[in-house]
Amino acid sequence: MKESVIKLPHTVTIPESSICVQCGKCSSGCPVAFESEHTPRKIIRFLQWGCLKEASQSPFLWLCASCQACTVRCPRGVNISSIMLSLRRIAQQQGWVLPEEKLSYYKTFINMIKKRGKISELQLGLATALHKIPSHPIEDIVLFFKLLKRGKLR
Amino acid sequence: MQKTIPKIGLFIYEQGGRLARAIDLDAVIQRLARIKNVTRCEVLTDLAAPLPSIKEDFTSDKFNRILWVGKFSDYQKKTIQSELSSAGLNPYMHEWCDIEEQGIGIDGVDLGIQTQKAILIIQMSLARTRLLEPLEPLELPAIDAALIIGAGVSGLHTATSFMELGKKVYLVEKESGVGGKVASLHRLYPRICDPRCGLEFEIQKIRESDMVEVHTLSKVKSLEGSPGNFDVRIEKQPRYVSEEKCNACGECMKVCPAVIPEEQRSRESAFINETSQQVLNSLKSEKKAIHPAVPMPYPPTFLIERQSCPSECRECVKVCPAQAIELEQTSSEMAFKVGAVIVTTGWDPYQLSKVEEYGYGIYPNVISNLEMERLLESPPAIEEIGFIQCAGSRDERHLNYCSSVCCSVALKHVLYLKEKLPDARCYIFYQDIRTPGFDEELYQKVKSLHNVIFIRGNPSTVKPGDDGKLKIRTEDTFSGKEIDLSLDLLVLAGGMMPSQGSFEIAQLLNLPQNNFGFFESHLQCHPEESQRTGILVGGACRGPMNISQSIESSHRAAMEVLPFLNRTILIEPKYPVLDLTKCDKCKRCMEECPFLSYVFDENGFPSLDLTKCRQCGNCMGICPLIAISLRNNTIKQIAAQIQALKSSFMGKEEPVILAFLCENDAYHAAKSAVEYGLPVPPNVFFIKVPCAGSVNNALVADALAFGIDGVLIAGCKDGQCHYVKGNQLVKTRSGDLSDKLQKMMIDPQRVRFESLEIRDSKKYVELVKSYIEELRAMGPNPFKS
């Protein structure tokens, strides 16, 4: 949200987000909450305003690991994980998705499963790293060797 | 009861010619004078002058009951009744009929129709008047003693109030001493006073009085009988010390070898560091196996926790100067009679170990707000303290309500902590700060303190730091940024739930509870209610509240209970009577009574407890054999009123509706509709009933069989009925009613159930109008003559 003034649309708020009291417990427990400018609570806040587009365009959606820490602890019973997944779908459908490069990991993952029915971590890692070149291949190579040493790549 | 021939005196009170403008009064008088049983019929323009002649006629037996038609003020009614009762006329032998409240006098209605309607309304009242009986209130002997269950702040204050009114009190408490949860608090805001001071003030009064019997280590075992005459049995656990001899000198404690550690908190060594060890030490309170009563040392007798005694140890016996130790004591029972019961069983703190993410019970330096009270007596030297509000409250996974006091309590803790540890840093994690009324001042005071930081954000988990501190991470929702903190102590604001004792009493006395386990009451009007006559509820067992609210709440209960604490109880003669010759023991009356006022008698018939009965008439409404009648509103009387209504008075095509209106809400809506001059159609006649639930299906079927086109039953809205659920009971019977009507070849659509609130006059008019339209479309009732 680059503007400082929110223009609330005339549409009614999305009911699944209305019960949220904005306590922040979801953000507090989220492992990736502070990696982007948005936290899960903020995403729900966008929905409370009816700003579906802003919510779906948030980079946070793609960081969500579906770990369920938010959903399990929410005192009002808001199903935050499934809201994130729904927003991803909406973003795809509406063409509000961010540039290709951020989606490369997901696309590679899905294509691999479609083709082979399983994931080879080595190939997945290589394919994603290649997509990122020339952005940060060096960190990835260091990480690659660390994982290989610990037997995490098959 | 001898059958007396009814002789009715009929007086129409006409002031200023109002009635004569709306109806043909002469025609009415002529018609009425010819009616059977009417021995005197005239129009009065004044009440004072004719009164002596009316008295004269009564005493000479010209009539033995009077129907008054017209509008009378309450003063006029009372004067007439008292004048005639001095001549011997029972007040229940007067019938009052206000034809204007049924719509006579409304603009725009044909004079002929109004006149006919007026005659029918009066004939309906005459039908009822013929069947009036002289009724006397009942006097039943009662006991002016009260049982108070729970000797916390509510129980103690209520006991002293009763004592000051000269009523005997049995105060039963399950702990060894009085005081409850309030006695375990440290200081109260705003006077920074010790809560035991106020409690001791009440205890002192009890100590000096003969009227209050305090039974500790006791629980109620059974409660039988009825309001005014309850039989209570309590079970007392043994104290092992004589209440008569022990003078609390304390010599026994000095020699007792057995120490009982009070707290069994987790001692996982991984999480013990210097700070958490200090916290544990602050919370530790040991007592010997023989010790004074807890929480407060009243009754002053010591007690022994026998299971902690080393075997064969007799140290206390040897040393007691008064020889008060009685190790052979066993549990005993006591029985007594009381007039009423007040339940003040209080609250218990919610088990914070269930809120797993905060590590209560795992990390020693995570404590509850109740434990913080003890810690504040001598707090360890700590620097960083966090307070998490709404821990397990306002949470659908735990307590789904707000405990109303925790915000003020946390702020109070911060205030006192800063007095003792001025350099401490306090962090308050909250969702909302709820400090109603004058506690706002507390909030502002704390907010302005140095090194106190309010963070609006709920932490998700508590993790152990390497140095034994607690790591908290939360989103500060105001800035949207992450906050990471390392704290020495974390105080969780746990909520209040109904006490274990409350649940036990609810089971034992069959008291309804709401979704959260608190006693179900009739909130705004009667928060002390329990839906069981003679048993009232006060204090925190009714809902989360602070100390002054608890005291107010229990005094409300005490006020309502006072009528039962007299030597005699007066019962109005409007109670239901069951005709045993008709009863087939189906016990539907027992099941539907909202106050469980019926019990089985020795022959298996339902027997009504007159003191429990609230005289709502729901039993009269449900009985499938119409065996039950309210004494002043019998089935025969209502049936006679129905038969007097000639439904074709406006012609066969014009529908006529008979409405049963509950006297709490619907009746007032209809009455005020007329008073406000709303266009109430002349097609509707109403009969006032105590509760919509008192309308029996047989009467509805009767009305339709006599040719009335439509029946309307209007009661209160769901949840608003003063007799709990009368309005719902009548609707659930509609299934039976439809079957019955269909067998009689009557369209079940000719019965309508509606909810009206007390000022719903417009709604009343609209629904009558729409009903008339529906009935016109259906066509006239085939039984209409």
Side-chain angles (χ1 to χ4, degrees), chain B residues 207-240:
Chain B
R207 203 178 258 133
E208 290 167 3
S209 158
D210 300 323
M211 299 295 278
V212 182
E213 259 184 53
V214 181
H215 295 280
T216 49
L217 287 177
S218 303
K219 283 191 179 178
V220 174
K221 196 161 171 208
S222 71
L223 182 79
E224 279 163 11
S226 40
N229 288 283
F230 281 117
D231 290 304
V232 184
R233 296 192 73 82
I234 63 170
E235 186 174 341
K236 273 180 98 116
Q237 297 309 312
R239 228 173 168 94
Y240 304 108

Side-chain angles (χ1 to χ4, degrees), chain B residues 412-591:
Chain B
K412 178 189 75 168
H413 287 165
V414 172
L415 203 61
Y416 301 157
L417 194 65
K418 291 291 279 177
E419 276 173 26
K420 300 214 162 150
L421 304 170
D423 294 324
R425 262 168 93 77
C426 296
Y427 301 92
I428 301 166
F429 302 94
Y430 69 96
Q431 291 180 36
D432 292 290
I433 294 287
R434 295 184 166 177
T435 47
F438 304 131
D439 279 1
E440 172 68 16
E441 194 187 330
L442 171 62
Y443 180 32
Q444 290 179 6
K445 212 187 267 194
V446 172
K447 236 180 174 301
S448 61
L449 288 176
H450 177 58
N451 262 342
V452 173
I453 295 148
F454 283 76
I455 298 165
R456 192 191 174 274
N458 211 338
S460 184
T461 47
V462 172
K463 294 202 168 87
D466 295 325
D467 46 1
K469 289 191 169 209
L470 300 163
K471 291 207 294 198
I472 293 248
R473 172 196 189 233
T474 187
E475 181 193 19
D476 173 51
T477 59
F478 286 153
S479 65
K481 300 224 172 351
E482 176 181 358
I483 296 194
D484 285 322
L485 292 168
S486 195
L487 302 170
D488 295 314
L489 178 70
L490 196 56
V491 183
L492 303 179
M496 297 164 78
M497 57 181 278
S499 66
Q500 181 58 33
S502 299
F503 281 105
E504 288 169 9
I505 289 291
Q507 277 269 59
L508 189 69
L509 305 183
N510 200 345
L511 304 180
Q513 295 168 279
N514 67 11
N515 292 344
F516 307 118
F518 293 100
F519 294 112
E520 182 79 81
S521 66
H522 194 133
L523 212 58
Q524 261 81 20
C525 302
H526 296 284
E528 76 289 351
E529 258 281 11
S530 68
Q531 292 178 26
R532 301 287 173 258
T533 317
I535 301 175
L536 276 79
V537 168
C541 59
R542 215 196 59 66
M545 53 179 76
N546 66 23
I547 294 171
S548 48
Q549 288 166 339
S550 292
I551 299 173
E552 285 164 5
S553 162
S554 56
H555 275 77
R556 173 67 197 251
M559 272 305 291
E560 296 297 312
V561 132
L562 280 177
F564 295 108
L565 302 184
N566 289 321
R567 292 292 163 82
T568 52
I569 297 180
L570 206 63
I571 306 221
E572 284 300 310
K574 298 182 194 165
Y575 49 84
V577 174
L578 171 58
D579 184 349
L580 289 179
T581 57
K582 288 185 181 165
C583 177
D584 71 349
K585 301 185 193 175
C586 76
K587 66 178 172 67
R588 287 178 79 174
C589 55
M590 297 182 78
E591 284 164 11

Side-chain angles (χ1 to χ4, degrees), chain B residues 102-103 109 113-114 117 649-650 655-656 679-685 772:
Chain B
Q102 298 251 20
V109 183
I113 290 182
Q114 292 228 40
K117 184 170 181 183
F649 80 104
M650 284 195 284
V656 164
V680 182
N683 312 51
V684 62
F685 290 74
I772 292 173

